[in-house]
Amino acid sequence: MKIYISGPMTGMPDLNFPAFNRAAEQLRAAGHDVVNPVEVNDGHSSEWADCMRNDIRALMDCDTVALLPGWHDSRGATLERHIAQELGMTILEVEDLLLASTEQ
């Protein structure tokens, strides 16, 4: 399973990078192959549309989307979830995915 992390960035302290990085670390520790948008883009200096183009390209290499809290208030995360849903990808909350990983 290759997992793409999706969640809010715009308007969040530190662009929510700590939450993305923590989720990536936990998912990797559980043995998952993870794509973290924080690692895909250059960070604070990129324009939203440029970041989304890069993120969507990375999303296309995954089969699962893991949603961070607050994703539903994020234009980018909502778009990523919509694309994943339309393509029949698995969509889970990060917490649920981590819980399932620890139960195995």
Side-chain angles (χ1 to χ4, degrees):
M1 179 180 347
K2 190 168 184 180
I3 301 170
Y4 179 89
I5 301 171
S6 181
M9 287 185 169
T10 303
M12 302 287 288
D14 296 320
L15 293 176
N16 211 19
F17 284 10
F20 277 85
N21 291 332
R22 184 172 42 259
E25 180 181 324
Q26 292 172 325
L27 290 167
R28 287 176 179 144
H32 298 292
D33 186 9
V34 177
V35 174
N36 180 357
V38 171
E39 298 164 358
V40 171
N41 291 293
D42 294 338
H44 300 276
S45 62
S46 300
E47 294 292 322
W48 182 86
D50 293 332
C51 288
M52 287 307 303
R53 286 181 181 97
N54 292 334
D55 293 344
I56 291 168
R57 276 191 289 276
L59 172 65
M60 293 299 92
D61 290 333
C62 300
D63 51 42
T64 301
V65 173
L67 299 167
L68 290 170
W71 69 266
H72 54 286
D73 295 323
S74 166
R75 182 171 61 144
T78 301
L79 175 60
E80 292 165 346
R81 184 187 180 282
H82 176 75
I83 291 168
Q85 183 175 17
E86 292 300 314
L87 295 176
M89 298 168 73
T90 301
I91 303 168
L92 300 165
E93 302 281 334
V94 168
E95 295 87 12
D96 294 337
L97 187 54
L98 288 169
L99 182 60
S101 294
T102 59
E103 291 176 351
Q104 293 180 357

